[in-house]
Amino acid sequence: LGYLWAFIMPVANTAVWIMLNRSGVVRIADTSIPYPVYVFTGTMVWQILVEAVQSPLQQVTMSRSFLTKLNFPREALIIAGFLKQVFNLIVKFVILMPAVILLGVTPDWHVLIAPLALLVTVLAGSALGLLISPIGMLYNDVGRVIPLLAQFFMYITPVVFAVPASGFMAQVFKWNPATALVLTSRAWLTGAETPAFLPFLVVAGVSLILLFIGALIYRLALPILIERLSS
């Protein structure tokens, strides 16, 4: 099915949560935009983030045989993975806009800068993925744990649930860095009010710093890891 998978998974997730909401099995708080649009955009942004987290480790893992036999710039793997994520982002953005309009929401001028929010999401995921990749090369379980943790963190991020108005969970949502990424991306895609612009800027700045630190750790650790894998 190729690139249709970029569309199938969010649609399936949206359909499930709409059914649960309408049947009363799960009670969802009111959202500022129609709930189908809320879930669909949230799922797409979350998928972009998770794929970006997984990308560095996947690139390195798939190239293990090359790493131990050939001498080439190791950063090329990370750059290739990042460019792949940017291309997938473009595909998802092309899918998102007609879907949002068909679901009854008309975006405003913020849609022009929505790709910037999605790009920051990719940067944030790539930064985290870079920090994880050296450990993931040593322990295969790390790659298997990422999807499990992503599933858990999705429920404390405004992907399918609205941010609670008060209480402990409201604080959990507030201090979750992914919340600012999802809320800002969704707001700019749908023309809704941007509720977390300052946290979004903070997450973007921290992501750039972590990206630099992750690249440095990757550069220093990879020769040692390659030597260990070769022995």
Side-chain angles (χ1 to χ4, degrees):
L1 297 175
Y3 286 105
L4 283 177
W5 282 112
F7 184 74
I8 291 171
M9 296 303 292
V11 167
N13 191 57
T14 301
V16 168
W17 283 98
I18 290 174
M19 181 185 69
L20 292 174
N21 185 33
R22 291 183 176 176
S23 64
V25 174
V26 177
R27 296 184 62 183
I28 307 295
D30 292 336
T31 54
S32 58
I33 56 177
Y35 187 66
V37 181
Y38 188 91
V39 179
F40 185 74
T41 53
T43 302
M44 289 289 273
V45 176
W46 186 251
Q47 189 176 29
I48 290 171
L49 178 62
V50 174
E51 288 176 357
V53 172
Q54 293 175 311
S55 177
L57 181 56
Q58 288 176 345
Q59 290 293 117
V60 174
T61 301
M62 288 189 300
S63 305
R64 279 191 176 187
S65 59
F66 299 116
L67 287 170
T68 56
K69 297 176 182 178
L70 301 176
N71 184 20
F72 65 96
R74 314 306 185 191
E75 292 78 9
L77 297 175
I78 303 304
I79 294 173
F82 178 76
L83 292 177
K84 179 181 178 181
Q85 294 307 311
V86 171
F87 180 76
N88 289 339
L89 184 156
I90 295 171
V91 172
K92 288 181 172 64
F93 182 75
V94 171
I95 293 171
L96 264 170
M97 295 323 302
V100 167
I101 295 171
L102 287 173
L103 290 171
V105 173
T106 303
D108 60 10
W109 66 270
H110 286 93
V111 73
L112 299 176
I113 57 174
L116 177 61
L118 298 177
L119 182 60
V120 170
T121 302
V122 172
L123 286 174
S126 299
L128 181 57
L130 263 177
L131 293 171
I132 293 172
S133 58
I135 304 173
M137 287 187 67
L138 291 175
Y139 306 103
N140 292 329
D141 290 339
V142 172
R144 297 186 178 98
V145 166
I146 292 175
L148 295 177
L149 291 177
Q151 190 69 25
F152 168 76
F153 276 98
M154 187 183 79
Y155 296 120
I156 57 172
T157 308
V159 175
V160 295
F161 296 115
V163 178
S166 60
F168 174 74
M169 289 307 299
Q171 295 301 313
V172 172
F173 273 70
K174 177 182 177 181
W175 290 103
N176 180 358
T179 295
L181 297 174
V182 173
L183 288 180
T184 302
S185 299
R186 179 189 283 127
W188 290 357
L189 286 166
T190 61
E193 182 182 354
T194 308
F197 184 61
L198 182 57
F200 172 78
L201 293 179
V202 172
V203 171
V206 172
S207 297
L208 287 174
I209 296 172
L210 291 179
L211 191 65
F212 175 78
I213 295 173
L216 183 61
I217 293 174
Y218 173 85
R219 185 178 182 86
L220 294 174
L222 203 60
I224 301 172
L225 293 172
I226 292 172
E227 183 178 349
R228 180 169 177 177
L229 290 172
S230 302
S231 60

